Amino acid sequence: TKYENLSGGERQYLRLDLALFNDSDLIILDEPLSFFDAAKVNWLTSFIKDSSKTFIVISHQTNFIAKFANKILDFDNLTIKQYDCQYEQYLKAKVIYLKELELANDQRNEIINEKQKTVEKATIWMDTSSNAHRIALMIKRLEREIEDLENKMSIFLDDKLYDFKLDNKRNQDQEVFTMV
């Protein structure tokens, strides 16, 4: 049978076979469960678990990933964080990590607020002080410190920002995707 005569599912199986059974030490699988029934999912899970190869698996099927993953790369809030653990431990560790980021942000906000109050007071003093130049230098230093603290703040993006919409505009005969 020629490749052109194969169904979409058969082509998918053939591409997967070529990826799994080559001499590569690294295999990247992007949503590999298309066209898979439960028996094929179990077979692929066992194959990955028993293989000496390194797999990078991208999948929304968390129950599939949870069966073999031992290292998670989490892409979230404009950062990539690596978790060296099983999927269930990753879920717990991520909650703890996010709480730590929020706490650090709260602490930085407190320091920023105190420094801003000091800048406001120093600005008032500068108007009446005979040492205005020294106070102006102090204000500049505090403003740099505030900016540095603001730059260290963790960013928490709203999930809505990850939604994609298909734009009807055409660009060189290609669909144009825009991030909302």
Side-chain angles (χ1 to χ4, degrees), residues 18-173:
L18 292 172
L20 295 177
F21 297 107
N22 68 28
D23 293 334
S24 230
D25 291 333
L26 173 65
I27 298 173
I28 300 172
L29 300 176
D30 185 7
E31 297 294 348
L33 302 184
S34 300
F35 305 105
F36 271 35
D37 58 20
K40 289 180 181 75
V41 170
N42 289 336
W43 178 88
L44 182 59
T45 301
S46 295
F47 182 86
I48 292 171
K49 285 167 82 171
D50 297 339
S51 178
S52 61
K53 298 178 180 192
T54 299
F55 285 83
I56 296 176
V57 181
I58 301 156
S59 178
H60 289 90
Q61 303 293 326
T62 55
N63 56 343
F64 168 64
I65 291 173
K67 293 177 184 173
F68 58 81
N70 57 14
K71 191 174 288 191
I72 310 288
L73 292 177
D74 182 57
F75 296 77
D76 196 15
N77 291 315
L78 305 176
T79 62
I80 301 171
K81 180 160 174 53
Q82 179 174 312
Y83 295 85
D84 294 325
C85 58
Q86 302 293 322
Y87 186 76
E88 292 301 319
Q89 288 82 21
Y90 149 74
L91 292 175
K92 294 173 185 171
K94 182 168 182 181
V95 168
I96 292 168
Y97 174 69
L98 290 174
K99 286 181 181 179
E100 289 170 354
L101 290 179
E102 288 175 0
L103 179 62
N105 275 358
D106 291 344
Q107 291 169 344
R108 283 188 191 103
N109 274 328
E110 286 179 24
I111 295 168
I112 287 169
N113 289 336
E114 288 302 315
K115 288 183 184 288
Q116 285 173 335
K117 288 177 187 174
T118 304
V119 166
E120 290 168 11
K121 288 177 186 176
T123 303
I124 293 168
W125 294 336
M126 192 169 63
D127 292 338
T128 60
S129 174
S130 60
N131 214 350
H133 177 69
R134 190 170 138 241
I135 295 174
L137 290 175
M138 181 188 72
I139 290 171
K140 287 281 188 207
R141 180 182 50 80
L142 286 169
E143 288 172 341
R144 280 193 306 273
E145 290 174 7
I146 290 169
E147 185 177 344
D148 288 343
L149 286 167
E150 288 173 341
N151 288 336
K152 290 178 183 175
M153 297 288 280
S154 297
I155 298 169
F156 295 95
L157 295 176
D158 188 351
D159 287 340
K160 293 185 288 185
L161 295 175
Y162 294 109
D163 291 341
F164 288 89
K165 288 185 179 177
L166 182 61
D167 193 341
N168 290 331
K169 299 175 191 168
R170 297 269 181 181
N171 183 8
Q172 299 174 349
D173 296 325

